[in-house]
Amino acid sequence: MAGSLTPAWSDQDEQDERPYALTGGRTRPRHSMRLDTLLMAQRGSPPERLGPEAKAAIALCQREQRAVAEIAAVLKQPAQVTKIILSDLIDAGALIVAVPDTIDPRSPQLLEALLGGIRHKWGNVA
Amino acid sequence: MAAYDTNGATSHDHDAPPVAPFSLKVVIAGGFGVGKTTLVGAVSEIPPLTTEEYLTAASSTSDSLSGVEAKSTTTVSMDFGRITFDRPQPMVLFLFGTPGQERFRFVWNDLVDGAIGAVVLVDTRRLEDSFGAVSYFERRAMPFVVAVNEFDTAAHRYTPDEVRQALELTDSVPVLLCDARDAWSAATVLINLVRHALSCAPSRPPSDPGALA
């Protein structure tokens, strides 16, 4: 099993209440996103009064685009909670979703490029 | 890390959303403890991360948070890794490790959607753990390879053909041995998967505008 990065909470009740505290009681994000949706930070000062998780999310997305799954893992928050935090940051203009290119990711051209990329990185292993 | 401005738009352009680099996704599936995290870690440029998700007994992530209060949720973990390429063009490959337990199979749909293919990692001591994964990808007609994680030299070694028979795979499915701890072995698995995906892809003439859809 992956090394689960469980925060050291003082007790289970506090751990269970925490997602509500982060999302203000909401259970769904306003903007839909998937685990592989890419986000990046917008230029400009970040909104005021951000919690530590929101600040960390913006910092992660400053210089490169990050997938929702990665942000959630680094924040050590469940994906659903992370999506709500990220959705709020989109509304606040701090983050923006990077639109995927329209080319089908399974197109032969892209697959050939990926093949070349892997071979370049690890040598012609196969 | 490479900058991803494929259309000249910068991260500071408020008029148009930034275009993502070509991003591709591979799913690493297999039973609990088979070595998925290890395989992801062998090729990922970041140490494998764990993304957690709450699930209610009703098996829906959308109302999972309302289940937290009722303490009727369980936690599902997925591995995450990535590889960034700048040659031959900017691309990023995401690696998603599926939750291993059979009862979490429904979570796979979102993970698998849009993936170029899957690796079903197999432990020969528990081959039966792989049947569900194999059936899942066969039903979805998703290209997949079977990689036999050979990490214990003392254990009985199956030939790829014996594994193929035991899993009732069609001849077209690549079966290969690998050491999930080894970067080159893991890269070989990925290469085999991409080659297999290419052989499965419907071919289109270059002038067909549908190829860009």
Side-chain angles (χ1 to χ4, degrees):
Chain A
M1 203 66 175
S4 204
L5 307 170
T6 311
W9 298 107
S10 55
D11 57 63
Q12 187 62 35
D13 282 346
E14 186 178 326
Q15 185 174 356
D16 287 344
E17 281 167 16
R18 188 92 168 113
Y20 277 108
L22 288 172
T23 66
R26 288 164 298 162
T27 57
R28 294 167 204 235
R30 201 167 77 84
H31 298 275
S32 67
M33 57 189 89
R34 297 163 23 143
L35 288 173
D36 54 353
T37 299
L38 292 175
L39 293 147
M40 65 189 309
Q42 297 256 43
R43 189 173 64 170
S45 355
E48 295 177 352
R49 295 200 305 270
L50 288 179
E53 291 82 7
K55 283 183 186 160
I58 294 174
L60 272 175
C61 299
Q62 276 299 341
R63 277 174 306 172
E64 51 195 304
Q65 301 173 356
R66 299 277 189 184
V68 170
E70 179 169 1
I71 299 169
V74 172
L75 259 43
K76 295 174 191 146
Q77 293 297 332
Q80 195 67 1
V81 170
T82 303
K83 288 176 185 177
I84 293 171
I85 293 171
L86 296 175
S87 183
D88 286 351
L89 288 172
I90 292 170
D91 284 339
L95 290 181
I96 192 165
V97 172
V99 177
D101 201 281
T102 49
I103 291 184
D104 182 357
R106 286 158 295 176
S107 75
Q109 294 91 330
L110 203 47
L111 289 175
E112 291 281 5
L114 179 61
L115 204 51
I118 298 173
R119 284 176 168 149
H120 177 77
K121 257 192 204 289
W122 282 283
N124 263 308
V125 289
Chain B
M1 190 128 351
Y4 300 132
D5 297 332
T6 56
N7 69 346
T10 67
S11 61
H12 309 305
D13 183 349
H14 285 241
D15 294 322
V19 177
F22 296 124
S23 64
L24 304 105
K25 180 168 63 168
V26 164
V27 172
I28 316 289
F32 187 82
V34 73
K36 299 187 291 287
T37 312
T38 306
L39 186 70
V40 169
V43 287
S44 171
E45 64 204 9
I46 56 172
L49 299 174
T50 306
T51 306
E52 294 197 330
E53 184 67 279
Y54 285 146
L55 297 170
T56 59
S59 308
S60 165
T61 57
S62 62
D63 58 7
S64 59
L65 291 187
S66 49
V68 172
E69 194 177 50
K71 299 193 194 305
S72 60
T73 59
T74 187
T75 304
V76 171
S77 294
M78 290 153 273
D79 300 311
F80 175 83
R82 58 173 157 82
I83 309 171
T84 307
F85 302 90
D86 45 19
R87 299 183 172 206
Q89 63 189 55
M91 296 175 292
V92 61
L93 176 66
F94 294 127
L95 306 162
F96 281 97
T98 62
Q101 299 90 327
E102 177 85 35
R103 68 185 189 276
F104 295 140
R105 184 83 19 83
F106 64 91
V107 172
W108 294 21
N109 295 338
D110 277 352
L111 285 181
V112 165
D113 183 36
I116 63 173
V119 175
V120 177
L121 196 58
V122 157
D123 178 349
T124 52
R125 296 169 301 182
R126 289 177 305 203
L127 263 182
E128 65 279 2
D129 287 358
S130 311
F131 280 119
V134 168
S135 305
Y136 178 86
F137 296 115
E138 282 174 345
R139 278 198 309 273
R140 294 184 72 103
M142 164 148 295
F144 71 97
V145 301
V146 170
V148 183
N149 195 7
E150 293 271 299
F151 46 77
D152 185 349
T153 53
H156 176 72
R157 280 180 176 243
Y158 289 86
T159 65
D161 278 345
E162 286 169 335
V163 170
R164 178 185 303 284
Q165 274 196 330
L167 293 177
E168 296 171 8
L169 301 171
T170 62
D171 286 344
S172 62
V173 174
V175 180
L176 53 156
L177 305 177
C178 80
D179 179 349
R181 304 163 301 182
D182 181 76
W184 284 269
S185 185
T188 300
V189 172
L190 289 180
I191 286 173
N192 275 274
L193 173 59
V194 178
R195 287 172 62 189
H196 181 56
L198 274 164
S199 73
C200 296
S203 54
R204 291 190 174 102
S207 57
D208 184 350
L212 294 177

